[in-house]
Amino acid sequence: MTLPHTGRALADAAPVPYWLDRPTRPDPLPPLTGPATADLLVIGGGYAGLWTALLAKEADPDRDVLLVDAGTCGWAASGRNGGFCAASLTHGLANGVERFPDEIGELERLGRENLDAIGATIDRHGIDCDFERTGELAVAVAPYQLDGLAADAELGRRHGRDVRLLDRDEVRAEVASPTYLGGLWDTDRTALLDPAKLAWGLRRAALDLGVRIHEHTRVTGLTADGPALRATTAGGADAAPGTVRAARVALATNAFPPLLRRLRAWTVPVYDYALMTEPLTAAQRDAVGWRNRQGLADTGNQFHYYRLTADNRILFGGYDAVYHYGNRVAPALEQREATFHTLAAHFLTTFPQLDGLRFSHRWGGVIDTCTRFCAFFGTAHQGRLAYAAGYTGLGVGATRFGARVTLDLLAGADTPLTRLDLVRRKPLPFPPEPIRAAGINLTRWSLARADARDGRRNLWLRTLDRFGLGFDS
Ligand SMILES: Cc1cc2nc3c(=O)[nH]c(=O)nc-3n(C[C@H](O)[C@H](O)[C@H](O)COP(=O)(O)OP(=O)(O)OC[C@H]3O[C@@H](n4cnc5c(N)ncnc54)[C@H](O)[C@@H]3O)c2cc1C
């Protein structure tokens, strides 16, 4: 339903990701034409590919590293996300405890080390991406969610997290919303950042170290070539096709049609949407408080995530998570009117004092959801190719860890990372179509219903829970 006030608020919103719509966006690098060779070919120039290239070069400056992207580095999920850079490698502590009970302590430690290392890399390479380690505040907006927050607080404390459980008045003193009934502030395990500026900064750092990057270069096929692999590429409109012969290949193509057949069973592309407001005036800032600038998320199954930007806009995203039959991915799916109006209406319910504020941008992007909600890893072509996929909407931080695992796998090394269950075990696959779409849509419907029924999960969700299967964004 299009309400008059959401229509007004959205009337001037540009249908492009705010983060990418800025004059500082770098010019594209030329496509690959003709034959090339490399020690390591990285396919995909989002965070996963950029971290892989950068870490490979930092470890061995003589290694010849070539990265190609079908578009430009950071144009996809990495340049259009919420910018919540979480320490968690397991899509949250509760999911990690459930799936990896024996090593969750180690995964928590590695996640924290990973977030610290991201901060250190940003400093070392002078990447200006508005990195603010403000933590994340989870808010209850329905009475039944309060029990969940208390349980999460207890779990967090047991795992050494600095968590603060806030009652109704305390949480509203942090951020003024009449919808908040309580909150849980995990103070230092999430940083907020400017996603596109991080991707562009990693790209520049990689180039500075000597990584060769070709943009508008899509890999169309991979074949064995003696002890190496050969990738064929298609360039932009008038670029000739190319080939790259590489001893090792890192596959970092996220939710896009995978070059490796087996990945089709393990991930589904799911669209997630966001709005950006105009910058708040000083009076509007005063009306919401939010002096500690935490990243915010409510705690229903269909949740919103929201945050301030460096210039005090509010990004407001989430809620709908949309799957299209047959794993469809297409630019047209990045715009969804109904979702934008839902988000705008929910924004005004959350912050009625900001009525009149307009949205400057609206966009969507695709995430690679897997049934365990956190990345999985593997090799193919006798260990000459390695991949990490399935970050399920929490890849801003975890992709750096995934890049480390990818490089260890490509080295054929037995390391503390390659020995992890997280790395060795795969998620349960999704069924083929048409059962895939039917199952995902039934799950979405059931999750929405649970939110409307005080969190009570129906038989379908309880069955999925029993088998450790799920659908999330
Ligand atoms: C709207 C939205 C909000 C999100 N919010 C958050 C958040 O707040 N926090 C969080 O942690 N995560 C968030 N995520 C998820 C996060 O953005 C991703 O997990 C992360 O960016 C994944 O990085 P990536 O490098 O794997 O993928 P991408 O950034 O998607 O990069 C993949 C790249 O591969 C390239 N490619 C694909 N196929 C080929 C090919 N055949 N040849 C050459 N190149 C190819 C593409 O062009 C693309 O650039 C969000 C995602 C979306 C869409």
Side-chain angles (χ1 to χ4, degrees):
M1 184 171 55
T2 305
L3 303 169
H5 60 299
T6 61
R8 260 197 317 278
L10 286 163
D12 304 323
V16 285
Y18 162 76
W19 309 110
L20 294 169
D21 187 26
R22 287 180 294 175
T24 46
R25 186 173 183 163
D27 291 334
L29 293 159
L32 178 73
T33 53
T37 59
D39 297 329
L40 171 65
L41 169 65
V42 180
I43 306 176
Y47 300 139
L50 290 165
W51 278 117
T52 306
L54 186 68
L55 291 172
K57 217 42 182 165
E58 283 186 336
D60 177 2
D62 293 331
R63 194 166 183 185
D64 183 18
V65 181
L66 178 75
L67 181 150
V68 295
D69 193 281
T72 53
C73 291
W75 78 271
S78 299
R80 60 181 65 207
N81 59 69
F84 285 58
C85 186
S88 176
L89 304 174
T90 55
H91 209 272
L93 180 56
N95 190 48
V97 167
E98 191 183 320
R99 295 181 191 279
F100 307 103
D102 297 339
E103 63 185 30
I104 186 64
E106 177 66 354
L107 294 174
E108 284 280 288
R109 189 191 66 71
L110 286 166
R112 177 162 195 123
E113 183 185 284
N114 187 57
L115 182 57
D116 291 344
I118 291 172
T121 308
I122 286 167
D123 286 347
R124 193 166 63 251
H125 290 284
I127 297 174
D128 164 22
C129 65
D130 303 324
F131 187 83
E132 303 179 73
R133 203 151 165 174
T134 53
E136 183 170 342
L137 177 58
V139 292
V141 293
Y144 79 89
Q145 295 171 0
L146 290 168
D147 288 347
L149 287 188
D152 285 350
E154 171 56 26
L155 187 65
R157 281 192 202 105
R158 251 189 285 135
H159 286 85
R161 291 188 171 197
D162 178 19
V163 287
R164 300 180 198 167
L165 197 57
L166 309 179
D167 67 20
R168 192 184 110 128
D169 291 344
E170 287 166 333
V171 72
R172 291 186 189 187
E174 284 297 326
V175 184
S177 170
T179 63
Y180 296 170
L181 304 177
L184 180 65
W185 183 9
D186 196 337
T187 59
D188 72 342
R189 294 186 61 96
T190 297
L192 295 179
L193 51 75
D194 181 319
K197 280 162 75 176
L198 174 63
W200 298 336
L202 291 173
R203 173 186 182 269
R204 188 197 33 82
L207 288 169
D208 287 350
L209 292 186
V211 173
R212 291 177 293 142
I213 298 181
H214 291 285
E215 297 183 314
H216 295 296
T217 301
R218 176 183 302 282
V219 174
T220 52
L222 279 170
T223 48
D225 182 358
L229 285 178
R230 177 177 297 269
T232 47
T233 69
D238 34 72
T243 57
V244 186
R245 188 172 192 274
R248 293 286 181 270
V249 173
L251 195 56
T253 54
N254 193 26
F256 294 92
L259 291 156
L260 211 55
R261 226 188 143 67
R262 70 187 72 158
L263 292 181
R264 283 182 214 166
W266 284 320
T267 62
V268 293
V270 171
Y271 278 85
D272 184 28
Y273 296 90
L275 299 175
M276 186 69 89
T277 71
E278 295 171 335
L280 272 59
T281 61
Q284 287 167 330
R285 272 305 307 275
D286 284 345
V288 289
W290 213 342
R291 295 291 155 206
N292 288 312
R293 301 179 61 82
Q294 306 94 330
L296 279 163
D298 45 45
T299 46
N301 290 302
Q302 289 191 289
F303 63 95
H304 307 89
Y305 54 87
Y306 41 116
R307 56 160 296 183
L308 291 164
T309 63
D311 64 349
N312 292 322
R313 296 162 185 269
I314 299 176
L315 176 146
F316 195 80
Y319 197 71
D320 280 342
V322 184
Y323 170 73
H324 295 275
Y325 189 91
N327 279 17
R328 198 160 149 243
V329 175
L333 304 178
E334 293 169 10
Q335 293 294 312
R336 195 165 192 267
E337 284 304 307
T339 296
F340 296 137
H341 285 282
T342 302
L343 284 173
H346 292 179
F347 177 84
L348 288 172
T349 306
T350 307
F351 295 126
Q353 66 274 47
L354 297 182
D355 194 9
L357 186 65
R358 294 167 85 92
F359 296 101
S360 64
H361 293 76
R362 56 186 156 96
W363 72 93
V366 67
I367 61 177
D368 56 343
T369 293
C370 71
T371 56
R372 75 181 198 193
F373 314 145
C374 58
F376 60 90
F377 311 85
T379 59
H381 294 283
Q382 289 86 45
R384 285 170 290 186
L385 178 147
Y387 59 83
Y391 291 98
T392 316
L394 206 68
V396 173
T399 41
R400 181 188 173 279
F401 173 82
R404 287 183 61 207
V405 173
T406 301
L407 291 171
D408 279 5
L409 290 173
L410 285 175
D414 177 27
T415 70
L417 299 192
T418 62
R419 282 195 288 273
L420 290 169
D421 269 356
L422 174 80
V423 172
R424 293 153 64 98
R425 286 200 339 232
K426 298 283 189 299
L428 287 168
F430 288 96
E433 296 290 14
I435 304 168
R436 176 177 290 202
I440 290 172
N441 289 330
L442 176 59
T443 309
R444 278 190 60 201
W445 177 82
S446 303
L447 290 171
R449 198 140 177 270
D451 284 341
R453 296 168 70 221
D454 293 340
R456 284 197 305 280
R457 295 168 85 77
N458 64 14
L459 182 63
W460 172 250
L461 292 180
R462 292 200 307 274
T463 307
L464 292 182
D465 292 344
R466 194 150 354 108
F467 288 103
L469 274 162
F471 175 73
D472 204 346
S473 57

